[in-house]
Amino acid sequence: MKSDIILAGVGGQGILTIATILGAAALRDNLYLKQAEVHGMSQRGGDVQSNLRISSNPIHSDLIPTGGADLIVSLEPMEALRYKSQLNPEGWLITNTNPFVNIDNYPDMDKVVEELGNMNNVIAFDMDEIAKEIHSPRSSNMILLGAASAFIDIKAEEIEKGIAEFFGKKGESVVNTNIEAFRVGREKAENLR
């Protein structure tokens, strides 16, 4: 088993939360894990990116080689496209379609959607809208994690345990809300696959 995953987004969206939860699930599943993060200007809405490498065999580097990613997982469509050259030809790109417009020269969304449409193996939907529909507007990242989990060889139950562990200090209601969002995202991805 091997999953090389690039997690991408904008500061404050919860990308590093996803990395933490997946990392905990991988370790609980006795898998090897390496991770590298870039989050220098994240507090100001800047790019956040994490290389997450999970394997049943030892891993020698925390960085994913160009063209080696199995998954690009992003809460922001332009950030997803930023890393498309990292994706291997059989890899999947899973992204939110709702943009986080934080720069004056943000590309026209029609062009972003067209670029996503020109790629193979894309799961793209408005995760923010689904989060609102389930009355949990801050859980878009858990919807994204659920969608991505359909492509990662870690049992959904182990990832749910990671969610419970991560959000446990915030109470049972917060844990249950985030697990529900995870399940909704996973089901959506499975239906779009």
Side-chain angles (χ1 to χ4, degrees), residues 88-99:
N88 76 46
E90 291 82 38
W92 283 83
L93 185 143
I94 297 107
T95 188
N96 189 0
T97 56
N98 190 22

Side-chain angles (χ1 to χ4, degrees), residues 171-188:
E172 187 176 339
S173 175
V174 172
V175 168
N176 291 338
T177 297
N178 282 285
I179 289 174
E180 177 189 2
F182 169 82
R183 289 175 179 170
V184 167
R186 185 174 175 96
E187 182 178 346
K188 180 79 172 174

Side-chain angles (χ1 to χ4, degrees), residues 75-145:
L75 263 171
E76 209 294 319
M78 186 181 73
E79 293 299 327
L81 291 174
R82 179 190 307 258
Y83 297 102
K84 74 177 190 172
S85 66
Q86 295 291 105
L87 196 60
N88 76 46
E90 291 82 38
W92 283 83
L93 185 143
I94 297 107
T95 188
N96 189 0
T97 56
N98 190 22
F100 187 94
V101 180
N102 60 344
I103 54 175
D104 294 336
N105 61 345
Y106 193 96
D108 180 68
M109 263 314 285
D110 290 337
K111 290 183 180 180
V112 172
V113 170
E114 180 182 341
E115 185 71 25
L116 288 169
N118 290 334
M119 295 178 65
N120 295 323
N121 302 335
V122 173
I123 300 287
F125 60 93
D126 190 337
M127 296 172 190
D128 295 333
E129 185 60 34
I130 291 176
K132 290 176 191 169
E133 288 173 9
I134 64 169
H135 308 290
S136 182
R138 296 184 63 197
S139 66
S140 299
N141 63 333
M142 290 300 102
I143 292 169
L144 176 65
L145 175 57

Side-chain angles (χ1 to χ4, degrees), residues 11-109:
Q13 289 187 308
I15 292 300
L16 299 181
T17 298
I18 292 172
T20 300
I21 291 168
L22 278 176
L27 292 175
R28 223 182 345 274
D29 216 10
N30 292 316
L31 297 170
Y32 292 91
L33 169 72
K34 293 258 185 186
Q35 180 179 358
E37 300 173 352
V38 175
H39 49 93
M41 294 298 289
S42 62
Q43 292 179 340
R44 296 188 181 179
D47 176 40
V48 174
Q49 182 261 346
S50 179
N51 279 232
L52 188 62
R53 305 189 78 191
I54 302 168
S55 177
S56 53
N57 297 312
I59 304 165
H60 302 290
S61 173
D62 55 357
L63 298 178
I64 299 169
T66 301
D70 301 303
L71 282 174
I72 294 174
V73 179
S74 181
L75 263 171
E76 209 294 319
M78 186 181 73
E79 293 299 327
L81 291 174
R82 179 190 307 258
Y83 297 102
K84 74 177 190 172
S85 66
Q86 295 291 105
L87 196 60
N88 76 46
E90 291 82 38
W92 283 83
L93 185 143
I94 297 107
T95 188
N96 189 0
T97 56
N98 190 22
F100 187 94
V101 180
N102 60 344
I103 54 175
D104 294 336
N105 61 345
Y106 193 96
D108 180 68
M109 263 314 285

